[in-house]
Amino acid sequence: EDQVTQSPEALRLQEGESSSLNCSYTVSGLRGLFWYRQDPGKGPEFLFTLYSAGEEKEKERLKATLTKKESFLHITAPKPEDSATYLCAVHSSTGNQFYFGTGTSLTVIP
Amino acid sequence: DAGVIQSPRHEVTEMGQEVTLRCKPISGHDYLFWYRQTMMRGLELLIYFNNNVPIDDSGMPEDRFSAKMPNASFSTLKIQPSEPRDSAVYFCASSTRTGAANQPQHFGDGTRLSIL
């Protein structure tokens, strides 16, 4: 069964304290893995797409990586404005389906 | 680019009433998705369309839910009759495709639905 699992559910960091969020997936055929950021009262906002193992993407303090089983979102020297829920989604070739994880709620304390 | 536009932003209604949620996708996007988000279950895909045709509605919870896309710039999600357990935030998203891979989905800001 296709599945996406994110960990941890919640993460509190001091400003400047780097960390990583995990997205593990089990799909029979990966067409793409997407990272989104969601602020309260808003829809998810696209961050990155990764298509194959070994691929990396960077944007400001964020870096996403992909292996055959999981993806990591690395946050370097986070700031309070990075506080949000980060969602991972996969596009599976089986039935051309889309699955979202339940997200990691990140709080960065000044 | 105006982005995906959803209306209404908030809806409060009584159990048994019909609810209609509306979505205008980004111009040029040929995929449209309806999601439901709750604390317990996160984001769940309800149905998606390609070129106005429903492709997969396996996520639609019951016959009380229906979705239509009469043209490329408009879609509705209808719940009739509504029940308290339908309370959630409903998102619409649109995207396009390059080769075999879908491009990222762009989301609206959602409709917060409360059924009393």
Side-chain angles (χ1 to χ4, degrees):
Chain A
E1 180 181 333
D2 292 346
Q3 195 169 359
V4 179
T5 304
Q6 290 189 247
S7 62
E9 287 188 16
L11 182 63
R12 289 172 65 89
L13 298 174
Q14 292 289 331
E15 184 172 1
E17 179 187 1
S18 301
S19 188
S20 297
L21 313 182
N22 177 262
C23 171
S24 63
Y25 61 92
T26 53
V27 296
S28 53
L30 180 70
R31 283 194 171 162
L33 185 142
F34 305 92
W35 281 98
Y36 290 84
R37 168 191 171 126
Q38 187 175 22
D39 292 296
K42 297 287 190 178
E45 177 186 347
F46 168 71
L47 293 173
F48 302 109
T49 307
L50 302 166
Y51 291 108
S52 57
E55 192 174 357
E56 298 182 354
K57 294 274 180 74
E58 280 189 73
K59 179 180 178 181
E60 297 180 354
R61 295 177 293 282
L62 300 177
K63 178 180 177 180
T65 62
L66 180 65
T67 72
K68 288 186 177 180
K69 298 283 187 185
E70 58 191 349
S71 176
F72 291 93
L73 185 65
H74 307 278
I75 303 177
T76 302
K79 297 182 178 181
E81 53 261 42
D82 295 322
S83 297
T85 296
Y86 290 85
L87 297 166
C88 166
V90 299
H91 178 198
S92 168
S93 60
T94 304
N96 201 25
Q97 271 291 341
F98 300 86
Y99 303 95
F100 272 82
T102 52
T104 293
S105 176
L106 173 67
T107 302
V108 182
I109 304 162
Chain B
D1 192 339
V4 175
I5 299 172
Q6 291 188 247
S7 64
R9 287 298 314 276
H10 303 274
E11 176 88 13
V12 180
T13 191
E14 293 189 348
M15 182 175 67
Q17 296 297 308
E18 178 178 292
V19 174
T20 300
L21 311 181
R22 297 172 175 79
C23 175
K24 177 179 170 56
I26 292 172
S27 177
H29 282 189
D30 52 356
Y31 283 83
L32 184 138
F33 306 81
W34 282 102
Y35 289 88
R36 178 172 67 178
Q37 187 175 43
T38 61
M39 289 293 292
M40 290 294 294
R41 300 172 69 93
L43 264 171
E44 299 175 279
L45 177 62
L46 300 177
I47 185 171
Y48 76 91
F49 295 82
N50 179 217
N51 291 322
N52 313 337
V53 176
I55 300 301
D56 189 335
D57 64 355
S58 59
M60 296 285 263
E62 299 171 33
D63 291 345
R64 298 184 296 105
F65 286 69
S66 62
K68 293 183 179 180
M69 191 165 186
N71 57 62
S73 59
F74 183 66
S75 177
T76 60
L77 178 67
K78 189 170 293 187
I79 307 173
Q80 167 64 17
S82 58
E83 297 183 5
R85 60 194 167 115
D86 302 330
S87 298
V89 181
Y90 290 80
F91 287 102
C92 175
S94 70
S95 75
T96 187
R97 187 163 175 155
T98 302
N102 272 67
Q103 294 302 305
Q105 296 174 30
H106 295 264
F107 285 76
D109 282 337
T111 295
R112 183 172 296 275
L113 178 64
S114 297
I115 308 296
L116 306 176

